Amino acid sequence: MSGVMTMDDLHDILDRGQQLHRPHPGAFDRLERRRRRKQRTRRLSGAAVALLVSGAAAWMLIPLGGLEHRSAAPVIDGATATRLGVAWTTGIGDSPTAPVVAGDLAFVGTGSGVLYAIDVGSGRVVWVGRLRGSIVAPPAIHGDEVVVHTTSGTLAAFDAGCGTRGATCTPAWTADTGDDVGAPPSVLDGVVYVNAGDDRLVAFEGCSSGRCEPAWVGRVPAGGAPRWPAAPAAVDGWVWTVLGGDPVVFPARCDEVCRPAQRQFAGVMSVGPIVGDELVVLGSNSGYLYGFRTDCADRCRAVWRARADAPTAPAVAGGTVFVSGAPGGGLAAVPEDCRMSGAPCPPSWVGDIDGSPTSPVVVSNGVVYIGSSDGHLHAFPAICDETCSASTVVKVGSSIGGIGVWGGRAILVTSIDGTMRAITVGGVAPTTTST
């Protein structure tokens, strides 16, 4: 009968279904090979991940300080000084002093009595020290210590590595000077010298902790002249300073009460003393710089003189005295080996600056730096023609008060607006290993 399924038809259908689901010869072998390939792939992937993890761990062990120096700012010299720019700016408070550099730290005092330790590479504050009175003169480096003098008559020494991450440090030792000007301290052959009042030079030696007493005090009759906060300078076993407006020389080693070897008058001194190769240079309100022989131990006269109207502190380098306030220009280079014969020593070259000179002159790697009242940092070549033009002029804000140098790679500039800036070739941030 048509349309009726027989038993034979049913068997045919079942046979075809079994054939459809029967594995093809070799199918199991192919399946086994596929499974083994997947296992190998998983093992290789695991090994790769392990290598990546171990590589990352090894990378983490590489000292980061070593990597930082790959991008260190180039050295600033006569060839690169034409490409200076600001690398970073840091606010540090009112009326900062000139920066003083030790290692990778720059130390700056402020009118509020705070001493800042700044990382030169980043401009970050590493630690601070707080004192009564104002810090108006640059700090001095005494071995591993930083010494500052305040207008409250406190001389304080801080351990240069006393803190990190902006910590507040306390002084390692302090001393009372009785001074109310905050004259700058100097460290010479392990002895800390500082002027106190207009008639005393105080020397401190061997201070380590607590309250320190003077090793000796040098005295002169009070002169009554306007005080100049001079930083003492030592050469050939003698300490030069300015007391009562006069240049005064004391023996570097003295009894408890020390008398000067000489005291001279050449107008009221307002600059120096600055020690050169042959001369001790001081400036007066008479419009001149004077040079005395470094071996002058008894009463002697100036052997060198150069014109300078209201100069800032000069610098002596390479047998040349670089001084601001020169007639007809802002900066002059005067040979140190000139010996006056009635007339002042003539300059080798004179360079103009913008505004009035406000910072001490600083020399580094054949480049002469001076800051001005309109906030410009001028960089001149140390060797120049008679009329010298600045290699570059960098605008750094308000009137410049101080200049420091780090490793020949960064010029640190403080301004009266309470900032410090790092100037480098191309404005590349200096790189240090400080924490």
Side-chain angles (χ1 to χ4, degrees):
M1 181 179 296
S2 179
V4 179
M5 182 179 291
T6 65
M7 293 296 297
D8 292 335
D9 294 332
L10 182 60
H11 285 299
D12 290 338
I13 292 171
L14 292 174
D15 288 340
R16 286 196 295 273
Q18 289 176 352
Q19 291 174 0
L20 289 173
H21 291 85
R22 183 177 300 121
H24 189 273
F28 286 112
D29 292 339
R30 288 196 297 274
L31 181 62
E32 179 65 16
R33 286 195 296 271
R34 190 178 299 117
R35 183 181 64 81
R36 291 175 180 173
R37 283 198 299 273
K38 289 182 178 180
Q39 288 177 343
R40 284 197 299 271
T41 299
R42 284 195 294 269
R43 285 196 298 269
L44 290 173
S45 297
V49 170
L51 286 173
L52 288 173
V53 171
S54 62
W59 175 261
M60 292 299 290
L61 292 175
I62 296 176
L64 295 181
L67 298 175
E68 288 172 354
H69 284 282
R70 292 182 179 180
S71 59
V75 171
I76 304 173
D77 54 24
T80 60
T82 58
R83 299 183 283 115
L84 300 183
V86 178
W88 52 254
T89 302
T90 295
I92 50 177
D94 60 315
S95 303
T97 68
V100 174
V101 176
D104 290 336
L105 295 179
F107 299 96
V108 180
T110 66
S112 57
V114 180
L115 173 66
Y116 287 88
I118 307 292
D119 179 82
V120 177
S122 63
R124 292 191 298 267
V125 176
V126 178
W127 58 263
V128 298
R130 302 182 187 277
L131 298 167
R132 291 184 299 106
S134 298
I135 303 173
V136 297
I141 304 301
H142 180 213
D144 295 329
E145 295 177 335
V146 184
V147 182
V148 290
H149 191 207
T150 75
T151 56
S152 66
T154 298
L155 187 71
F158 292 83
D159 185 342
C162 65
T164 59
R165 302 178 182 272
T168 297
C169 292
T170 56
W173 58 266
T174 61
D176 292 325
T177 65
D179 183 59
D180 59 0
V181 172
S186 294
V187 178
L188 311 161
D189 295 328
V191 181
V192 180
Y193 299 95
V194 65
N195 286 351
D198 62 356
D199 62 347
R200 290 179 296 135
L201 172 70
V202 187
F204 296 89
E205 186 174 13
C207 304
S208 59
S209 62
R211 187 72 67 175
C212 187
E213 297 298 327
W216 57 264
V217 177
R219 294 185 180 274
V220 297
R227 289 198 55 194
W228 169 252
V235 58
D236 293 339
W238 302 96
V239 181
W240 290 71
T241 192
V242 175
L243 293 173
D246 296 336
V248 183
V249 183
F250 291 94
R253 297 293 175 181
C254 209
D255 297 328
E256 291 185 8
V257 177
C258 192
R259 301 298 179 187
Q262 65 164 308
R263 182 184 184 186
Q264 303 234 3
F265 177 78
V268 176
M269 290 296 165
S270 59
V271 172
I274 305 296
V275 175
D277 294 331
E278 300 180 6
L279 302 175
V280 178
V281 180
L282 301 102
S284 76
N285 62 358
S286 65
Y288 288 94
L289 285 182
Y290 294 93
F292 297 85
R293 297 194 318 269
T294 57
D295 62 356
C296 176
D298 199 352
R299 189 167 184 83
C300 56
R301 295 183 178 274
V303 297
W304 183 97
R305 182 179 61 158
R307 285 291 308 275
D309 296 319
T312 61
V316 183
T320 300
V321 180
F322 299 94
V323 59
S324 63
L331 183 69
V334 184
E336 188 181 6
D337 61 2
C338 166
R339 289 294 180 267
M340 65 183 185
S341 56
C345 296
S348 301
W349 58 258
V350 175
D352 289 329
I353 67 171
D354 301 323
S356 301
T358 53
S359 79
V361 183
V362 173
V363 183
S364 174
N365 287 340
V367 182
V368 187
Y369 302 93
I370 188 168
S372 62
S373 58
D374 59 358
H376 286 104
L377 175 69
H378 300 75
F380 289 87
I383 300 175
C384 204
D385 298 328
E386 291 184 9
T387 301
C388 193
S389 297
S391 302
T392 190
V393 178
V394 182
K395 177 67 174 178
V396 296
S398 62
S399 179
I400 296 174
I403 301 173
V405 180
W406 174 78
R409 298 176 183 273
I411 307 303
L412 306 176
V413 178
T414 54
S415 302
I416 63 171
D417 62 1
T419 61
M420 182 167 75
R421 290 173 173 83
I423 312 297
T424 63
V425 176
V428 177
T431 305
T432 75
T433 56
S434 291
T435 55

